[in-house]
Amino acid sequence: MVIHRYRLLPGNIADVSAFRNALEESGMRDCTLIADRGFYSKANVGAMDRAAMRYVMPLKANTRLVDTGFLEDEGSGWADGFFEYHGRVIWHKRIAIGAHGKHVYVYRDSAKRAQMEANAARRIQAGYGDATRERLEAERPRYGMSLLYTNLEDQDAQGVYHAYKSRWQIEECFDYLKNGLDLGVVYQRTDEQAEAWAFLNHLSLTMYYSLYAKLRQTGLPARYTPDSVIAIARTIHRVNINNTWRTSETSKPDQQLYQTLGITLPDL
Protein backbone atom coordinates (compact mmCIF):
# COMPACT_ATOMS: atom_id res chain seq x y z
CA MET A 1 0.00 0.00 0.00
CA VAL A 2 1.21 3.51 -0.83
CA ILE A 3 0.06 6.44 1.30
CA HIS A 4 0.05 9.35 -1.12
CA ARG A 5 -1.00 12.22 1.08
CA TYR A 6 -2.91 13.29 4.17
CA ARG A 7 -5.09 16.19 5.26
CA LEU A 8 -5.91 17.56 8.70
CA LEU A 9 -9.62 18.18 9.22
CA PRO A 10 -11.81 19.35 12.09
CA GLY A 11 -13.81 16.56 13.67
CA ASN A 12 -17.14 17.99 12.53
CA ILE A 13 -16.42 17.81 8.78
CA ALA A 14 -18.59 15.33 6.87
CA ASP A 15 -16.69 12.35 5.50
CA VAL A 16 -18.13 12.67 1.99
CA SER A 17 -17.08 16.29 1.48
CA ALA A 18 -13.64 15.54 2.93
CA PHE A 19 -13.12 12.65 0.54
CA ARG A 20 -14.32 14.65 -2.46
CA ASN A 21 -11.87 17.48 -1.73
CA ALA A 22 -9.01 15.07 -1.02
CA LEU A 23 -9.68 13.28 -4.30
CA GLU A 24 -9.70 16.54 -6.27
CA GLU A 25 -6.51 17.72 -4.56
CA SER A 26 -4.69 14.46 -5.30
CA GLY A 27 -5.42 14.60 -9.01
CA MET A 28 -6.13 10.86 -9.00
CA ARG A 29 -8.80 9.33 -11.22
CA ASP A 30 -10.76 6.09 -11.20
CA CYS A 31 -10.86 5.96 -7.39
CA THR A 32 -13.29 3.97 -5.31
CA LEU A 33 -14.45 4.98 -1.83
CA ILE A 34 -14.42 1.99 0.54
CA ALA A 35 -16.65 3.13 3.37
CA ASP A 36 -16.91 1.97 6.97
CA ARG A 37 -19.90 0.31 8.57
CA GLY A 38 -22.56 2.85 9.50
CA PHE A 39 -21.57 5.25 6.69
CA TYR A 40 -24.60 4.40 4.56
CA SER A 41 -27.39 6.95 4.51
CA LYS A 42 -29.51 8.47 1.76
CA ALA A 43 -27.76 11.80 2.30
CA ASN A 44 -24.28 10.29 1.94
CA VAL A 45 -25.27 8.26 -1.12
CA GLY A 46 -26.83 11.34 -2.69
CA ALA A 47 -23.68 13.39 -2.08
CA MET A 48 -21.48 10.69 -3.63
CA ASP A 49 -23.76 10.31 -6.63
CA ARG A 50 -23.71 14.06 -7.27
CA ALA A 51 -19.92 13.96 -7.13
CA ALA A 52 -19.86 10.97 -9.54
CA MET A 53 -17.96 8.86 -6.99
CA ARG A 54 -17.54 5.11 -7.16
CA TYR A 55 -18.17 3.40 -3.84
CA VAL A 56 -18.55 0.21 -1.85
CA MET A 57 -20.13 0.41 1.58
CA PRO A 58 -21.35 -2.18 4.07
CA LEU A 59 -24.92 -2.24 5.26
CA LYS A 60 -26.15 -3.20 8.70
CA ALA A 61 -27.68 -6.66 9.06
CA ASN A 62 -31.09 -5.14 9.88
CA THR A 63 -31.17 -2.87 6.84
CA ARG A 64 -34.53 -2.26 5.21
CA LEU A 65 -32.97 -1.68 1.81
CA VAL A 66 -33.30 -5.36 0.90
CA ASP A 67 -35.28 -8.31 2.20
CA THR A 68 -32.86 -10.99 3.38
CA GLY A 69 -35.54 -13.49 4.37
CA PHE A 70 -34.17 -15.90 1.76
CA LEU A 71 -31.17 -16.49 4.05
CA GLU A 72 -33.40 -18.64 6.24
CA ASP A 73 -32.74 -21.30 3.63
CA GLU A 74 -30.12 -23.49 5.28
CA GLY A 75 -28.80 -24.54 1.89
CA SER A 76 -27.25 -22.47 -0.87
CA GLY A 77 -30.15 -22.48 -3.32
CA TRP A 78 -30.64 -18.74 -2.78
CA ALA A 79 -27.14 -17.91 -4.06
CA ASP A 80 -26.08 -16.95 -7.59
CA GLY A 81 -22.77 -18.71 -7.06
CA PHE A 82 -19.69 -18.86 -4.86
CA PHE A 83 -15.97 -18.13 -4.82
CA GLU A 84 -13.07 -18.92 -2.51
CA TYR A 85 -11.48 -16.33 -0.25
CA HIS A 86 -8.50 -17.28 1.92
CA GLY A 87 -9.54 -20.91 1.85
CA ARG A 88 -13.16 -20.17 2.77
CA VAL A 89 -16.25 -20.62 0.60
CA ILE A 90 -18.20 -17.38 0.08
CA TRP A 91 -21.72 -17.71 -1.34
CA HIS A 92 -23.15 -14.59 -2.97
CA LYS A 93 -26.29 -13.07 -4.45
CA ARG A 94 -26.74 -9.79 -6.33
CA ILE A 95 -29.88 -7.69 -5.82
CA ALA A 96 -30.53 -4.71 -8.09
CA ILE A 97 -31.52 -1.47 -6.34
CA GLY A 98 -33.46 0.93 -8.53
CA ALA A 99 -32.62 1.52 -12.17
CA HIS A 100 -29.31 3.36 -11.84
CA GLY A 101 -26.77 0.56 -11.78
CA LYS A 102 -26.72 0.13 -8.01
CA HIS A 103 -26.70 -3.24 -6.33
CA VAL A 104 -26.58 -4.92 -2.96
CA TYR A 105 -24.37 -7.98 -2.82
CA VAL A 106 -25.31 -10.49 -0.14
CA TYR A 107 -22.50 -12.77 1.02
CA ARG A 108 -22.42 -15.74 3.37
CA ASP A 109 -19.06 -16.92 4.71
CA SER A 110 -19.61 -20.60 5.49
CA ALA A 111 -16.64 -20.92 7.86
CA LYS A 112 -17.50 -17.72 9.73
CA ARG A 113 -21.11 -18.87 10.01
CA ALA A 114 -20.05 -22.14 11.64
CA GLN A 115 -17.72 -20.30 14.00
CA MET A 116 -20.44 -17.84 15.07
CA GLU A 117 -22.87 -20.69 15.66
CA ALA A 118 -20.29 -22.53 17.80
CA ASN A 119 -19.61 -19.37 19.83
CA ALA A 120 -23.32 -18.85 20.42
CA ALA A 121 -23.71 -22.46 21.56
CA ARG A 122 -20.81 -22.09 23.99
CA ARG A 123 -22.41 -18.96 25.46
CA ILE A 124 -25.65 -20.90 26.00
CA GLN A 125 -23.78 -23.73 27.72
CA ALA A 126 -21.88 -21.25 29.90
CA GLY A 127 -25.15 -19.73 31.07
CA TYR A 128 -24.75 -16.18 29.78
CA GLY A 129 -27.96 -14.32 30.51
CA ASP A 130 -28.52 -13.00 27.00
CA ALA A 131 -27.70 -16.31 25.30
CA THR A 132 -30.69 -18.55 24.66
CA ARG A 133 -31.61 -21.26 22.18
CA GLU A 134 -34.41 -19.07 20.87
CA ARG A 135 -32.01 -16.21 20.14
CA LEU A 136 -29.59 -18.56 18.39
CA GLU A 137 -32.37 -19.88 16.15
CA ALA A 138 -33.55 -16.35 15.34
CA GLU A 139 -30.08 -15.02 14.50
CA ARG A 140 -28.63 -18.12 12.83
CA PRO A 141 -29.80 -17.20 9.28
CA ARG A 142 -27.63 -14.07 9.42
CA TYR A 143 -24.52 -15.69 10.87
CA GLY A 144 -21.61 -15.12 8.51
CA MET A 145 -23.66 -12.71 6.40
CA SER A 146 -22.39 -9.42 5.01
CA LEU A 147 -24.12 -6.89 2.76
CA LEU A 148 -22.30 -4.52 0.42
CA TYR A 149 -23.99 -1.63 -1.38
CA THR A 150 -22.19 -0.44 -4.49
CA ASN A 151 -22.46 1.36 -7.80
CA LEU A 152 -19.52 -0.52 -9.37
CA GLU A 153 -20.73 -1.94 -12.65
CA ASP A 154 -17.34 -3.22 -13.84
CA GLN A 155 -16.88 -5.62 -10.90
CA ASP A 156 -18.57 -8.91 -10.17
CA ALA A 157 -19.45 -10.25 -6.71
CA GLN A 158 -15.92 -11.44 -6.07
CA GLY A 159 -14.37 -8.16 -7.23
CA VAL A 160 -16.63 -6.09 -4.96
CA TYR A 161 -15.86 -8.39 -2.02
CA HIS A 162 -12.11 -8.09 -2.55
CA ALA A 163 -12.40 -4.32 -2.92
CA TYR A 164 -14.10 -4.05 0.45
CA LYS A 165 -11.68 -6.43 2.15
CA SER A 166 -8.80 -4.21 1.03
CA ARG A 167 -9.72 -1.77 3.80
CA TRP A 168 -7.93 -4.00 6.33
CA GLN A 169 -4.82 -2.13 5.21
CA ILE A 170 -6.25 1.02 6.79
CA GLU A 171 -6.79 -0.86 10.04
CA GLU A 172 -3.15 -1.94 9.86
CA CYS A 173 -2.14 1.71 9.58
CA PHE A 174 -4.12 2.62 12.67
CA ASP A 175 -2.73 -0.38 14.53
CA TYR A 176 0.84 0.65 13.71
CA LEU A 177 0.27 4.27 14.72
CA LYS A 178 -1.39 3.23 17.97
CA ASN A 179 0.80 0.31 19.01
CA GLY A 180 3.99 0.67 16.97
CA LEU A 181 4.44 4.36 17.68
CA ASP A 182 2.43 4.36 20.90
CA LEU A 183 0.30 7.26 19.69
CA GLY A 184 -2.77 8.19 21.62
CA VAL A 185 -4.32 11.54 22.36
CA VAL A 186 -3.02 14.46 20.32
CA TYR A 187 -1.66 16.99 22.81
CA GLN A 188 -0.59 19.64 20.28
CA ARG A 189 -2.38 22.92 20.92
CA THR A 190 -1.79 24.91 17.73
CA ASP A 191 -2.51 24.18 14.09
CA GLU A 192 1.21 24.31 13.34
CA GLN A 193 2.01 21.75 16.04
CA ALA A 194 -0.77 19.46 14.82
CA GLU A 195 0.49 19.76 11.25
CA ALA A 196 4.04 18.83 12.35
CA TRP A 197 2.65 15.86 14.32
CA ALA A 198 0.67 14.65 11.29
CA PHE A 199 3.66 15.10 8.98
CA LEU A 200 5.90 12.98 11.21
CA ASN A 201 3.21 10.29 11.34
CA HIS A 202 2.99 10.39 7.55
CA LEU A 203 6.76 9.96 7.24
CA SER A 204 6.67 7.09 9.71
CA LEU A 205 3.92 5.27 7.80
CA THR A 206 5.77 5.82 4.51
CA MET A 207 8.94 4.29 5.98
CA TYR A 208 6.94 1.44 7.54
CA TYR A 209 5.34 0.40 4.25
CA SER A 210 8.62 0.87 2.37
CA LEU A 211 10.12 -1.64 4.81
CA TYR A 212 7.13 -3.94 4.27
CA ALA A 213 7.66 -3.83 0.49
CA LYS A 214 11.39 -4.51 0.92
CA LEU A 215 10.69 -7.56 3.08
CA ARG A 216 8.41 -9.01 0.42
CA GLN A 217 10.85 -8.23 -2.42
CA THR A 218 13.78 -9.96 -0.71
CA GLY A 219 11.80 -13.16 -0.11
CA LEU A 220 12.65 -13.28 3.59
CA PRO A 221 10.68 -15.79 5.70
CA ALA A 222 7.16 -14.71 6.70
CA ARG A 223 8.24 -14.52 10.36
CA TYR A 224 9.98 -11.25 9.52
CA THR A 225 7.53 -8.36 9.67
CA PRO A 226 8.15 -4.61 9.79
CA ASP A 227 7.38 -4.72 13.52
CA SER A 228 9.91 -7.49 14.18
CA VAL A 229 12.63 -5.71 12.16
CA ILE A 230 11.97 -2.48 14.06
CA ALA A 231 12.07 -4.39 17.37
CA ILE A 232 15.51 -5.76 16.45
CA ALA A 233 16.70 -2.28 15.49
CA ARG A 234 15.75 -0.98 18.93
CA THR A 235 18.28 -3.38 20.50
CA ILE A 236 21.16 -1.95 18.46
CA HIS A 237 22.89 1.09 19.96
CA ARG A 238 25.94 3.26 19.50
CA VAL A 239 28.18 2.95 22.56
CA ASN A 240 31.21 4.99 23.61
CA ILE A 241 34.19 2.80 24.50
CA ASN A 242 37.39 4.66 25.42
CA ASN A 243 36.19 7.76 23.61
CA THR A 244 35.41 5.76 20.46
CA TRP A 245 31.83 5.33 19.22
CA ARG A 246 31.00 1.79 18.18
CA THR A 247 27.94 -0.24 17.32
CA SER A 248 26.75 -2.55 20.09
CA GLU A 249 27.08 -6.31 19.74
CA THR A 250 24.68 -7.79 17.19
CA SER A 251 23.90 -11.45 16.53
CA LYS A 252 24.86 -13.06 13.24
CA PRO A 253 21.22 -13.67 12.18
CA ASP A 254 20.41 -10.00 12.77
CA GLN A 255 23.47 -8.91 10.80
CA GLN A 256 22.44 -11.17 7.92
CA LEU A 257 18.90 -9.81 8.06
CA TYR A 258 20.05 -6.23 7.65
CA GLN A 259 22.53 -7.18 4.94
CA THR A 260 19.67 -8.83 3.01
CA LEU A 261 17.67 -5.62 3.37
CA GLY A 262 20.64 -3.61 2.05
CA ILE A 263 21.34 -1.93 5.39
CA THR A 264 24.96 -1.67 6.49
CA LEU A 265 25.59 -1.39 10.22
CA PRO A 266 28.73 0.59 11.12
CA ASP A 267 31.77 -1.28 12.53
CA LEU A 268 30.36 -4.70 11.53
Side-chain angles (χ1 to χ4, degrees):
M1 184 177 74
V2 178
I3 303 172
H4 292 278
R5 60 186 62 236
Y6 67 92
R7 298 179 70 226
L8 288 180
L9 300 168
N12 60 350
I13 298 297
D15 291 339
V16 172
S17 61
F19 180 80
R20 183 172 61 245
N21 292 337
L23 183 60
E24 182 177 350
E25 181 186 32
S26 72
M28 293 186 291
R29 297 293 182 268
D30 193 27
C31 295
T32 301
L33 171 64
I34 308 298
D36 201 353
R37 191 177 301 278
F39 187 78
Y40 172 82
S41 69
K42 290 183 178 179
N44 283 346
V45 170
M48 288 186 290
D49 287 341
R50 288 190 295 273
M53 291 183 182
R54 292 157 51 89
Y55 51 81
V56 176
M57 62 182 73
L59 299 174
K60 295 181 180 180
N62 62 351
T63 180
R64 296 182 180 179
L65 194 60
V66 294
D67 181 7
T68 57
F70 56 82
L71 287 174
E72 294 180 5
D73 180 0
E74 290 294 320
S76 56
W78 57 270
D80 297 331
F82 68 91
F83 57 86
E84 187 176 337
Y85 179 79
H86 289 185
R88 306 196 307 271
V89 175
I90 310 296
W91 296 93
H92 61 83
K93 181 180 181 65
R94 187 175 81 163
I95 302 174
I97 303 296
H100 302 288
K102 299 176 184 177
H103 299 87
V104 170
Y105 284 95
V106 182
Y107 301 93
R108 176 184 280 170
D109 183 330
S110 301
K112 184 177 180 181
R113 183 171 189 258
Q115 181 182 27
M116 293 179 69
E117 184 174 0
N119 290 339
R122 280 193 288 268
R123 288 176 61 86
I124 294 172
Q125 289 182 330
Y128 284 91
D130 61 342
T132 63
R133 175 70 179 271
E134 291 74 16
R135 180 173 179 178
L136 184 153
E137 295 295 342
E139 297 179 352
R140 191 209 307 262
R142 288 173 174 75
Y143 284 168
M145 180 193 74
S146 56
L147 304 169
L148 296 180
Y149 180 74
T150 182
N151 64 348
L152 300 185
E153 297 188 76
D154 58 346
Q155 296 289 335
D156 59 10
Q158 185 173 1
V160 171
Y161 192 82
H162 278 265
Y164 178 69
K165 288 297 183 179
S166 69
R167 70 180 302 279
W168 68 267
Q169 298 177 58
I170 304 299
E171 302 301 332
E172 278 194 335
C173 285
F174 289 138
D175 181 72
Y176 169 67
L177 289 173
K178 181 179 179 180
N179 299 311
L181 296 182
D182 196 25
L183 293 179
V185 179
V186 180
Y187 293 102
Q188 285 68 26
R189 299 182 179 221
T190 67
D191 291 344
E192 291 77 12
Q193 290 174 335
E195 178 64 39
W197 175 85
F199 177 66
L200 291 175
N201 290 341
H202 177 71
L203 287 181
S204 179
L205 281 173
T206 301
M207 295 172 66
Y208 182 87
Y209 280 98
S210 296
L211 177 57
Y212 179 88
K214 189 71 173 179
L215 286 169
R216 301 287 75 81
Q217 291 169 4
T218 55
L220 286 165
R223 69 175 181 274
Y224 288 115
T225 65
D227 290 326
S228 66
V229 174
I230 292 171
I232 293 172
R234 287 174 175 167
T235 67
I236 303 174
H237 308 281
R238 294 290 284 175
V239 295
N240 191 316
I241 300 177
N242 296 328
N243 295 321
T244 301
W245 287 100
R246 301 178 183 177
T247 301
S248 62
E249 296 80 357
T250 308
S251 69
K252 284 290 184 183
D254 291 349
Q255 293 180 35
Q256 293 172 356
L257 167 64
Y258 281 100
Q259 288 173 0
T260 303
L261 292 173
I263 300 172
T264 301
L265 298 177
D267 306 325
L268 296 178

